[in-house]
Every structure is written in C-alpha cells, then in structure tokens.
Amino acid sequence: MARITVALSQTLQTFLEEQVRAGGYCSAEEYICDLIAKEQDRHELKTLLSLGARAARGSEANDAYFDRLRSKLSGLAR
C-alpha cells in the first residue's frame, strides 16, 4: 500500500481530529481513506448518470446538466 505525507494547517488538523472522533474512526488515515472511497463512488455514480442521460436524451450530459438537475431536486425537497 502506498503512503503519502500531507501538510495541514492547524485549522485543518483540528477539523480532521474532530471528524475522526465524531465519526468513530480509529485514525486520521481511516477517515481520509473513507473520504477518498466516497469521492470515488460519487465519481463513478456521476459517470453512470451521465451515460444514462446521454442514452436517454441523445446529448452530452455536462456540469450544466447536473446543475439544473440539482436545482430541480432541491426545489422538490422544500
């Protein structure tokens, strides 16, 4: 497994420590790995949604498309 070193400001270090405690993580490493895994899942979901949107609409699903979709969904949630 690869190792990296990251320099954090004191503010980010404090935030990281709070998130580890609040989230029940054993370590900062576990928390960061979870963040990366969630971001990877989000990226894969966006790719699948984009493919589905292109297939259904026959057009390019870009960031503007997702912005409009978010606006519609946030309006429904209110």
Side-chain angles (χ1 to χ4, degrees), residues 2-3 6-7 13 17 20 25 31 33 45 52 63 65 72 75 77:
R3 291 222 174 256
V6 178
Q13 177 68 30
E17 291 166 356
V20 169
Y25 295 96
Y31 174 72
C33 286
L45 178 59
D63 287 339
Y65 168 80
K72 288 178 187 177

Side-chain angles (χ1 to χ4, degrees), residues 3 5 8-9 14 18 20 25 29-30 35-36 39-40 43-44 46-47 54-55 58-59 64-65 68 72-73 76-77:
R3 291 222 174 256
T5 301
L8 300 175
S9 67
T14 300
E18 290 169 355
V20 169
Y25 295 96
E29 181 179 347
E30 184 181 354
L35 284 178
I36 293 169
E39 179 64 14
Q40 186 177 28
H43 185 273
E44 290 172 5
K46 186 175 178 180
T47 299
R54 273 196 304 251
S59 65
Y65 168 80
R68 287 191 305 276
K72 288 178 187 177
L73 292 174
L76 293 174

